Amino acid sequence: MTTPYVIGIGNAVMDVISPTDDARLDALGVQKGIMQLIERERSEYLMAAQADDHGPGRAQARLVPGGSVANTLAGIGAMGLKTAFIGRVADDALGLSYAEQTEAGGTVFVNPPVGGDQLPTSRSIIFVTPDGERSMNTYLGISAELGPEDVSPSVFQGAGWLFLEGYLFDKPKGKDAFLKAAKCCHEAGGQAGIALSDPFCVDRHRADFRKLVAGPMDYVIGNVHEWTSLYQTEDLEAALAQASADCGTVICTRSGDDAILIRDGARVTVPVNKVVPVDATGAGDQFAAGLIFGLARGASLEAAGRMGCIAAAEVIGHVGPRPQREIRREFEAQGLI
């Protein structure tokens, strides 16, 4: 059997992370502990402020490749599967670093950085205060311009799985890229899926999301809020009934409660691994990593769900959205692989 490989499409966002203090946040006009979208001029101002902020004991800003699907691929790669990422970065310092670090981490960065007069590489400027709060300022930049021209059918030869990021669904070009990628994946004999990503994104594009779920998607991952938003009901069971009528494999995470997994009408629930959360960033991304790793290897739905819960528990036990321990060893210890 050929080892399956997983292709992801998502926002290529460089996390620019630096320590600071509350007084500095106030001086910069940064709201503490939240993520807010900002414009290019504001992002350049904050980047310059980070570069100038050399207070006592403060380190230089760290550049860490981020983005939801990119984090998932990093997790899957660490578990031992080949991965490739279709994303869009500019031919600037952040973009070159993003591509280089992604490749160094074992994920193929499919498309070269884009040169010429275009938007800069997307970035999330993250200020971390001594209490551990992360204040995130995200400029979407060039990654949000990903379109069907960035999707090459040749990339899908030998790929078993495709994973899409709902955040990219905000623009027509992103929707066209998803449809082209799903078609290429199916023609190569693979399975295509998506994370709904955000209930507000679902609200904005409900009709198109429903067409996607009921059409080319073989599996869909969402949380309670995203599923109920998609089907415009407060009744989760009603939403999941509709979802499973539309799509072969439906996954619902529930923030500390059992995850629900339904495939072809058969339903299993998987308990989450209870840990004291240090940083919830990346929990959904790594749940998807464990789940897709299991499904790609032919594990049962329950076993794949358990892998997702193990991976999610690991990542919320430390700061940062990517695993620090060898998750695969935990799968082996629990007899999952």
Side-chain angles (χ1 to χ4, degrees):
M1 173 182 164
T2 303
T3 302
Y5 98 85
V6 182
I7 296 175
I9 301 180
N11 280 309
V13 182
M14 181 66 88
D15 290 341
V16 186
I17 307 169
S18 65
T20 194
D21 55 42
D22 288 350
R24 182 66 169 158
L25 288 184
D26 289 342
L28 294 173
V30 171
Q31 287 186 265
K32 184 174 177 177
I34 67 166
M35 192 286 283
Q36 57 184 354
L37 293 177
I38 59 175
E39 297 300 323
R40 179 175 179 171
E41 184 178 358
R42 173 70 170 164
S43 80
E44 290 171 353
Y45 169 75
L46 291 177
M47 290 276 289
Q50 274 187 329
D52 290 341
D53 191 5
H54 302 308
R58 289 186 194 151
Q60 295 276 359
R62 291 186 299 123
L63 302 181
V64 181
S68 179
V69 161
N71 290 335
T72 295
L73 292 174
I76 294 170
M79 294 168 196
L81 291 187
K82 178 184 173 185
T83 55
F85 180 57
I86 297 173
R88 199 168 166 86
V89 297
D91 186 11
D92 54 22
L94 290 184
L96 293 172
S97 179
Y98 192 101
E100 181 181 333
Q101 289 192 58
T102 298
E103 291 269 350
T107 293
V108 175
F109 193 80
V110 173
N111 297 324
V114 180
D117 183 20
Q118 79 292 303
L119 295 171
T121 296
S122 309
R123 73 288 305 263
S124 185
I125 303 158
I126 303 171
F127 296 95
V128 184
T129 42
D131 57 7
E133 286 275 11
R134 295 158 66 91
S135 306
M136 305 169 70
N137 305 266
T138 302
Y139 168 60
L140 291 178
I142 197 173
S143 72
E145 298 301 311
L146 185 137
E149 68 277 7
D150 297 302
V151 178
S152 171
S154 63
V155 174
F156 292 82
Q157 297 310 307
W161 294 77
L162 169 67
F163 188 46
L164 306 170
E165 182 177 310
Y167 289 122
L168 267 179
F169 213 60
D170 258 333
K171 292 192 175 183
K173 289 194 295 186
K175 296 175 185 178
D176 292 342
F178 282 5
L179 293 174
K180 182 178 179 181
K183 183 174 183 289
C184 292
C185 179
H186 287 146
E187 288 175 349
Q191 299 276 303
I194 191 170
L196 295 177
S197 295
D198 179 75
F200 301 108
C201 189
V202 171
D203 284 340
R204 289 192 295 271
H205 306 283
R206 183 173 291 107
D208 284 337
F209 263 119
R210 284 192 187 178
K211 287 178 185 175
L212 200 64
V213 171
M217 294 299 100
D218 301 294
Y219 66 100
V220 181
I221 304 170
N223 63 29
V224 174
H225 306 295
E226 290 152 6
W227 283 119
T228 53
S229 172
L230 185 65
Y231 293 106
Q232 294 178 286
T233 175
E234 294 182 6
D235 183 343
L236 176 62
E237 290 301 324
L240 293 180
Q242 182 62 57
S244 56
D246 286 345
C247 182
T249 301
V250 170
I251 315 296
C252 179
T253 58
R254 299 192 292 166
S255 297
D257 290 329
D258 293 359
I260 300 169
L261 303 91
I262 307 169
R263 181 163 62 189
D264 298 330
R267 174 172 171 152
V268 297
T269 57
V270 177
V272 298
N273 296 42
K274 299 288 186 182
V275 297
V276 177
V278 173
D279 177 7
T281 308
D285 302 340
Q286 295 311 318
F287 174 85
L291 176 84
I292 295 169
F293 173 81
L295 294 177
R297 286 175 51 91
S300 70
L301 194 61
E302 181 179 7
R306 286 177 60 195
M307 291 183 205
C309 290
I310 290 169
E314 190 279 338
V315 82
I316 66 174
H318 59 74
V319 174
R322 298 188 177 187
Q324 294 181 353
R325 296 201 311 270
E326 289 192 45
I327 306 293
R328 188 181 174 116
R329 289 190 177 179
E330 297 189 38
F331 297 165
E332 291 169 347
Q334 296 198 27
L336 295 170
I337 57 174

